Amino acid sequence: MSTAQPDDGADHATPDALLHIRTGTEVAPEDVVLAAGRDVTPETLEWARRKIETEGAAALEKLLP
């Protein structure tokens, strides 16, 4: 008998450790796009690359709670 609960569609909080980057971790354009709540497309990846170029790792931190 499994103890796993079926997904009832309720919102579940993401653990804080998964939301924040660690010092020394390279920020990928995909990370920035997803943190912004956007779909990964060539256009959004280019937007994220420019954002990382100008803001560095802070580009991702600014988007996270």
Side-chain angles (χ1 to χ4, degrees):
M1 186 167 177
S2 173
T3 59
Q5 298 294 319
D7 184 9
D8 59 5
D11 290 332
H12 300 283
T14 302
D16 193 55
L18 297 177
L19 293 174
H20 298 282
I21 62 172
R22 293 180 299 265
T23 303
T25 301
E26 188 174 322
V27 176
E30 292 85 355
D31 296 333
V32 174
V33 170
L34 294 173
R38 298 179 179 188
D39 291 329
V40 177
T41 66
E43 293 80 16
T44 58
L45 289 172
E46 184 55 37
W47 164 80
R49 283 186 195 98
R50 289 191 310 269
K51 190 166 180 63
I52 293 168
E53 213 172 85
T54 59
E55 300 176 20
L60 182 58
E61 287 293 329
K62 289 178 181 180
L63 294 170
L64 298 174

